[in-house]
Every structure is written in structure tokens, then in C-alpha cells.
Amino acid sequence: MTISIFNYDKYKFSTKAPALLALDEVVEKREEEIERIKEDLLNYKILIKDLIYDKPSYIIRNKILNIAYFIIEDVELFDFLSTTKKFPINRLLKRTPIDREFYLTWKEYIVTFFVILSNPNYKYLQEYLQIEESEEVAASEEIIQINKENEHINEENEHRGIILFKGINYAIIITSKGEFIKVKAKKDNCVGEDLISKESFSIKKYKLQISIIASIVVLVSIIGIFQYRSID
């Protein structure tokens, strides 16, 4: 049996925009795929909404992408994950130069891409994801993408992606570059639609800042009480 060799840089997300297909038939087909994907992911105990809180950088997403393809292209790993629904961390540690912490942090992302990319019945979402072999992606294009993400990390940008989940006034989208983002949405937006919108506020996104502010408030209160008692 041929043993697959892991390649860090075999595949990469391209910054090229996907074709704009607003046909009702295409949206309906995407919606059908998305409903099946949600069911598939439940078998691995993964919820789409949980993927928005950890945001891998462009470089890390490419690394995740290559791990997903490595599993898909390796018969043993593919069969193990598909059959047992258990993440093959020990097998991957033996076969790749990637540490355990990385796998533990990003296993949900890896499995999600595995599910989407390994099933030929998910062709509409596969076509939306802009994935190219590494030599087809110019180094300058990759640098531009990294710089763009670094520049806008604290800004409220517009994001384009397919709606995977629709809430009352928000949606969770997957972008063509493999990002899962919570964005603002209108009542008439629907699952499967190609949406352009600004990122929606999320308390969990700012939990560190909120924790720091709360700690400062508590500290200031304690100091104030102490000073008041000292005066008495």
C-alpha cells in the first residue's frame, strides 16, 4: 500500500472572488447541501455556529486545508475518520510534523473541511471555495492576502460568503477563503444565498476585552471603598 507524504503547501486558498450565481435554483441546491452537511457534522459532534469563535489566520487556514486533503487522499486515514467519526490525532502525529496542540485547537475546522471537500455531493460549496494547488497561487497574492487580514483585524469589514445558518438579524457565512464569520443579515436573506455584509457584534469575540474592563472596574471599586473607609 502506498503511504501518502504530508505536504504543508500543496493547496492554498486563493484570493480570487468566486463567480456570482444568484439563480434561485443554485441557492436551493446550496441550501440542500448545507442541510446535509449540518447533519454530517453532527455525527462528528460539530455545530456550524461553534466555528465562528476561533478565527484561524490565512496561513493557519491553509495548513488546516492541507491536513484535510491529506486525510482525504490517504485511504487509511479517510476510512478511519469516515467510519469511526473519531479524529485520528495519534495517526496524524505519527505521519505529520505537526504538534498535538495544533490538532487539538483546530480539529473541528479540519473535520469540517474534510466533510465538505470529500463528498462529491457537495459540489456547489466546493465550487464556491477558491482552492488552488500551491504553484498556481502567486507569492505576491499570498502576501497581499496576509497583509489585508492583518490591516483589517480590528475593523468592521464587509465579508462575502454563503449563508450556512440564518438567525433573526444575523447569519453565519463561509467565505471563499474558508472563513466562518457571523455577519449582519436581513429578514429576507436565506440559507444558501451569496451574501455581502458587515461582521455582526459577538460578545464572545470581545470576551477578553470585557474581562479586562470588568477587572478594572472591580479593582477601582475596591480601591474606592478602601479609601472611603480610610477617611472615616
Side-chain angles (χ1 to χ4, degrees), residues 124-153:
Y124 285 94
L125 281 182
Q126 291 169 4
E127 289 172 358
Y128 190 84
L129 292 172
Q130 297 299 291
I131 299 169
E132 297 179 341
E133 293 213 28
S134 186
E135 59 266 21
E136 297 175 4
V137 182
S140 58
E141 182 183 327
E142 184 174 1
I143 292 170
I144 289 171
Q145 175 60 24
I146 294 169
N147 289 339
K148 279 176 65 178
E149 293 194 5
N150 288 339
E151 286 173 5
H152 298 309
I153 194 166

Side-chain angles (χ1 to χ4, degrees), residues 9-103:
D9 302 315
K10 186 175 182 180
Y11 302 99
K12 290 184 181 180
F13 284 107
S14 170
T15 58
K16 296 175 182 176
L20 185 59
L21 301 174
L23 299 174
D24 290 343
E25 181 183 355
V26 174
V27 174
E28 289 176 8
K29 292 292 185 181
R30 286 179 185 152
E31 183 179 9
E32 291 172 6
E33 289 185 359
I34 290 164
E35 292 308 312
R36 291 199 300 269
I37 286 171
K38 288 177 182 177
E39 292 177 8
D40 280 351
L41 289 176
L42 280 177
N43 293 325
Y44 298 91
K45 300 180 180 179
I46 297 174
L47 298 174
I48 293 290
K49 66 181 182 66
D50 291 337
L51 298 172
I52 65 173
Y53 301 118
D54 294 314
K55 295 191 174 182
S57 66
Y58 177 70
I59 292 175
I60 290 178
R61 286 200 309 277
N62 284 332
K63 193 172 179 180
I64 290 169
L65 178 67
N66 281 285
I67 295 169
Y69 268 121
F70 181 66
I71 296 172
I72 292 169
E73 295 170 357
D74 185 274
V75 175
E76 180 190 354
L77 292 172
F78 180 90
D79 287 345
F80 180 86
L81 183 53
S82 300
T83 304
T84 68
K85 310 301 181 187
K86 295 179 181 179
F87 188 69
I89 185 167
N90 291 326
R91 296 168 189 245
L92 285 168
L93 287 171
K94 293 177 181 178
R95 303 277 301 280
T96 64
I98 298 172
D99 61 80
R100 179 180 292 271
E101 187 62 31
F102 186 92
Y103 283 126

